[in-house]
Amino acid sequence: MILHKHTHPTVVLHKERSSLLIDPGTFTPAAPRLVGETSAVLITHDHPDHFDVDLLSAALESQRELRIWAPADVVAQLHNDDGRVTVVAPGDRIDIDGFQVDVVGGTHAVIHPDMPETGNVGYVIDDDVYHPGDSYHVPGLPVKTLLVPTSGPWAKLDAAVDFIRAVQPDRAIQIHDMMLTAAGRQFFSQFVDPLTGIELLILEDGDAVQL
């Protein structure tokens, strides 16, 4: 399996002739191209940096093979009733073009106690890659490749360190990093690496890694 990291939360997984696109949001310039190149999209939650409703609504009209899996509040915004958009919830296990996907989590990380709680799911793919969306939820499943959010109004260094320690992956990769400069991403890693014993890899937009 090959992982391509794109802007902020957007990731593409490739395996044989299949691809799986996760969170093509409005912050991702390549999102229209990435959606056009796949037939399977996962969405973690309805924040626009993860979910571009206009892009995906248009793609459902133009790409008859496109399928989307997402939480109920995302699916409701897509207004599609031909069976190509599927509601997922924590505890679900689904097979998507040869990828085994376990749905975990359920709640977005707290931004501020005065803000209402919002939903968020994470995806564990092939007992290997874990994309947590906007959370530090520990999935309780085997994870080799942990995608670690490092910027945002809810992201915190201590929580990220505890997240990596609890999941115990073989490797960790920064995502959700658009709000950090190049120096900021390096600085984040310099704290995480010695505290966890796992190198927090930095990938530029479009970079790929063989898993």
Side-chain angles (χ1 to χ4, degrees), residues 4-24:
H4 284 264
K5 193 266 185 196
H6 292 277
T7 309
H8 209 43
T10 308
V11 170
V12 183
L13 300 174
H14 294 275
K15 185 169 64 173
E16 298 175 351
R17 297 184 179 181
S18 299
S19 68
L20 192 59
L21 172 59
I22 306 173
D23 281 359

Side-chain angles (χ1 to χ4, degrees), residues 6 12 14 19 21 30-40 63 65:
H6 292 277
V12 183
H14 294 275
S19 68
L21 172 59
R33 173 177 62 82
L34 297 174
V35 172
E37 292 173 347
T38 193
S39 61
Q63 297 172 232
E65 77 284 0

Side-chain angles (χ1 to χ4, degrees), residues 157 161 174 182-196 198-200 202:
L157 175 64
V161 167
Q174 287 198 41
R185 287 185 288 165
Q186 291 285 350
F187 194 62
F188 204 99
S189 288
Q190 288 172 14
F191 278 98
V192 169
D193 295 357
L195 287 169
T196 65
I198 297 173
E199 180 184 5
L200 183 58
I202 297 171

Side-chain angles (χ1 to χ4, degrees), residues 91-110:
D92 290 349
R93 171 171 284 192
I94 49 182
D95 186 274
I96 302 172
D97 294 341
F99 293 94
Q100 180 183 285
V101 180
D102 287 283
V103 185
V104 299
T107 305
H108 192 286
V110 174

Side-chain angles (χ1 to χ4, degrees), residues 1 3 28 45 68 78 82 87 96 101 106 120 131 146 158 166 208:
M1 184 161 54
L3 181 150
T28 306
H45 64 290
I68 300 171
L78 291 171
D82 65 6
V87 174
I96 302 172
V101 180
N120 175 93
H131 192 308
L146 178 61
D158 61 344

